[in-house]
Amino acid sequence: MHKPTPRARHRAAAVAALLLAATTGCSGGPRPAHPHDAQHSPASGAAPAQRPFTLVATGDVLPHDSTIQRAKSDAEDGSYDFRPMLAGVKPIISRADLAICHMETVYGPDEGPFTGYPAFTSPPQVAAALKDTGYDSCSTASNHTLDDGADGLARTLKAFDKAGLKHTGSGRTADESARPALMTAGGAKVAQLAYTYDTNGYPMPDGQPWAVHLIDQKKIIADARAARAGGADVVVVSLHWGTEWQTEPDEQQLSLGKALTASKTGGRPDIDLILGTHAHIPQPYEKVNGTWIVYGEGDQIAGEMFNETGARDERGNMSSIARFTFTPPARPGARWEVGKAEFVPQWIDVERGRVMSLPDALAKSPGSEAYTATQQQISEAVLSRGAAKDGLKMSR
């Protein structure tokens, strides 16, 4: 059995304190993560009752110039309003017990300027829209996290804090960077960690080597074990990885995914779910070593997308919403199992600047050949590595 180092023991103790704070609240008393938790709140001092909970996750929030202009035209106060853009999927996101997003870009100053590709600075109003849609936490480690240096990173996390969104994958201080995002649902303590393959060549800010979490297999496993040792019942890892415009997961995704899902402590997996972003198109889901991996969800928010050849590629506006239902452990010390795995095909109507659930859109327009073909294309990508045999189903 591996004996933890003093640093590992210190990290586990710190995570334990944070998990306790996440459960009890640092101020204002306990705050349930979902209305169902409020209905099942235990008596003071008693352990929370365990019940199944749902977790949904979506892909890259990547506002291009056209997206920013749409949000400006949707605002009624001369500002930027991204809520109408996400209204079509709000029912799916908000009814989940936990909802996780991925903020690929960083925010500019309140007054702007705001820019799209190639160096993104997005309006900070995005954070409020994500919160309004029902998201609880967001990964912030991507190849664009340092597009505007330490200032852009800090503005983004400040906006998240103001909106009441948890975040992980980057930090303004070493302590903040070391903390996972901590949530509760169904009586379970859930920790989210996040990492990226690169920062587009931008170096870490001076004196801040911890500013953005980079993918490193040993570190990811160590962090997951620290979260588990600190009391996390479910550990979720968000990874910004893969090859853009490639449906099939690349070698890094396959090898790293296999290694991470194989890692165990005391016979229990260290990681319970892997959520991937970056490729800009839907990628497969797969159960590896008994743990679900979403290799890539596609873009949640984006304008017109152009692939590596420079051609307009409609796949860049296709994505999936992942939804996993976790069930309580069968015995003490066992893992929370995924009892149900689902995906919802999603599409961005760039002409209207709206994100929609395709099953819902087809229910309203059952004869739409375009909706049917797009949904089929997304489903084929998601199921292309045989996830159906492990129970993954399309839902709405």
Side-chain angles (χ1 to χ4, degrees):
M1 181 177 178
H2 175 69
K3 184 177 181 180
T5 64
R7 177 177 292 181
R9 289 195 296 269
H10 174 75
R11 180 168 59 236
V15 173
L18 288 163
L19 281 163
L20 179 62
T23 304
T24 62
C26 295
S27 63
R31 176 187 175 273
H34 190 271
H36 291 171
D37 281 334
Q39 296 167 12
H40 293 78
S41 295
S44 178
Q50 293 183 335
R51 63 169 181 81
F53 71 89
T54 55
L55 182 152
V56 299
T58 52
D60 306 61
V61 175
L62 187 67
H64 290 88
D65 289 329
S66 60
T67 313
I68 295 169
Q69 288 306 308
R70 169 62 63 180
K72 188 174 182 65
S73 65
D74 282 334
E76 298 179 356
D77 59 358
S79 180
Y80 298 85
D81 190 354
F82 292 84
R83 293 174 300 174
M85 200 172 293
L86 292 165
V89 293
K90 181 175 179 177
I92 298 172
I93 304 303
S94 62
R95 71 172 174 250
D97 293 285
L98 292 179
I100 292 175
C101 53
H102 173 63
M103 191 68 236
E104 180 160 7
T105 65
V106 292
Y107 300 156
D110 290 343
E111 67 279 4
F114 306 119
T115 58
Y117 181 84
F120 294 83
T121 52
S122 306
Q125 288 84 355
V126 175
L130 293 171
K131 180 66 176 179
D132 178 79
T133 303
Y135 288 102
D136 299 286
S137 178
C138 209
S139 56
T140 58
S142 83
N143 56 314
H144 290 288
T145 306
L146 293 177
D147 276 7
D148 200 26
D151 289 344
L153 184 158
R155 287 192 297 264
T156 305
L157 302 188
K158 179 181 178 181
F160 271 46
D161 291 343
K162 181 179 179 181
L165 269 175
K166 297 181 184 295
H167 48 83
T168 183
S170 60
R172 292 160 287 190
T173 66
D175 285 346
E176 180 177 60
S177 183
R179 293 197 296 265
L182 303 172
M183 298 161 278
T184 59
K189 300 171 184 176
V190 181
Q192 182 197 7
L193 303 163
Y195 309 84
T196 179
Y197 74 97
D198 193 24
T199 56
N200 283 350
Y202 290 113
M204 295 293 167
D206 289 344
Q208 301 178 30
W210 32 258
V212 184
H213 299 176
L214 297 179
I215 289 176
D216 177 279
Q217 179 181 317
K218 291 182 179 180
K219 176 172 172 52
I220 294 171
I221 292 173
D223 290 349
R225 287 176 173 169
R228 183 79 80 202
D233 299 299
V234 175
V235 177
V236 179
V237 173
S238 297
L239 296 174
H240 198 73
W241 61 350
T243 302
E244 293 183 350
W245 302 106
Q246 180 175 302
T247 300
E248 182 69 11
D250 64 21
E251 181 54 38
Q252 184 201 36
Q253 289 174 290
L254 293 173
S255 60
L256 181 60
K258 185 176 181 180
L260 293 179
T261 56
S263 179
K264 295 182 179 181
T265 300
R268 181 181 180 183
D270 295 316
I271 294 165
D272 299 295
L273 178 64
I274 295 176
L275 303 171
T277 56
H278 175 61
H280 300 307
I281 61 174
Q283 289 188 310
Y285 294 30
E286 186 175 22
K287 200 172 188 179
V288 181
N289 295 318
T291 296
W292 281 102
I293 300 175
V294 179
Y295 288 109
E297 289 161 313
D299 290 340
Q300 172 74 342
I301 287 179
E304 288 190 332
M305 295 294 290
F306 299 84
N307 63 29
E308 74 279 11
T309 70
R312 170 80 172 94
D313 197 325
E314 292 186 352
R315 294 178 301 160
N317 297 126
M318 302 177 190
S319 66
S320 69
I321 300 173
R323 181 164 59 213
F324 297 97
T325 302
F326 284 85
T327 58
R331 63 186 185 280
R335 78 187 306 193
W336 284 68
E337 297 281 356
V338 172
K340 183 188 291 186
E342 304 168 282
F343 72 97
V344 181
Q346 185 179 237
W347 181 60
I348 304 169
D349 182 341
V350 293
E351 295 299 323
R352 296 173 52 243
R354 298 292 184 262
V355 182
M356 64 175 66
S357 157
L358 282 169
D360 286 345
L362 277 167
K364 297 174 182 176
S365 304
S368 173
E369 293 182 3
Y371 289 170
T372 300
T374 302
Q375 178 171 280
Q376 180 64 25
Q377 190 170 351
I378 295 168
S379 298
E380 288 176 357
V382 167
L383 299 172
S384 62
R385 290 186 66 85
K389 74 180 188 304
D390 287 314
L392 181 67
K393 295 181 179 180
M394 187 176 74
S395 186
R396 57 179 294 187

